[in-house]
Amino acid sequence: LTQQGSLVTLRVRGIVDTGGALQPINVDDSNKYAAELAVFPSDLHVYCIDDSEGARHMLESLLPREANTECVRVFGETPLSWKSFLDEAILLSDIVIMDQN
């Protein structure tokens, strides 16, 4: 993880299970957005809860493009929205993103 001004870059090296043979992948600055999205499952159901309007907007606008999914649901606009979040996320989510505070 490096930072230059307001730009934060994450370099990842790992192994991805493609359903067959394991293949190492390398992600660096030159291909950071080509991070092998082909092996990342598409159309996952991503459920997010955050009390910050800005964070909710960011998740709702970036995740469909970056995670290759149209099913992104955000919660947290009211103090009681956690109930709906739990009801839906437990049954329908593949990935859950939760605010820490």
Side-chain angles (χ1 to χ4, degrees), residues 56-71:
R56 287 192 312 272
H57 176 72
M58 179 191 68
L59 291 165
E60 197 169 36
S61 62
L62 291 177
L63 282 174
R65 182 182 69 228
E66 299 297 326
N68 195 23
T69 183
E70 291 301 319
C71 186

Side-chain angles (χ1 to χ4, degrees), residues 2 4 7-11 26-33:
T2 59
Q4 292 179 338
L7 176 65
V8 177
T9 303
L10 173 66
R11 293 187 72 168
N26 292 310
V27 179
D28 59 28
D29 291 341
S30 65
N31 67 349
K32 63 184 174 183
Y33 291 114

Side-chain angles (χ1 to χ4, degrees), residues 17-97:
D17 184 353
T18 61
L22 294 180
Q23 301 174 358
I25 61 167
N26 292 310
V27 179
D28 59 28
D29 291 341
S30 65
N31 67 349
K32 63 184 174 183
Y33 291 114
E36 302 297 337
L37 279 180
V39 298
F40 191 80
S42 62
D43 295 324
L44 293 174
H45 294 115
V46 182
Y47 281 69
C48 314
I49 188 165
D50 199 307
D51 60 341
S52 164
E53 182 179 353
R56 287 192 312 272
H57 176 72
M58 179 191 68
L59 291 165
E60 197 169 36
S61 62
L62 291 177
L63 282 174
R65 182 182 69 228
E66 299 297 326
N68 195 23
T69 183
E70 291 301 319
C71 186
V72 175
R73 296 266 290 132
V74 295
F75 298 80
E77 49 285 334
T78 67
L80 295 177
S81 63
W82 65 269
K83 292 179 181 182
S84 299
F85 170 77
L86 282 180
D87 290 343
E88 291 187 36
I90 287 172
L91 295 174
L92 303 171
S93 67
D94 296 302
I95 296 174
V96 170
I97 300 173

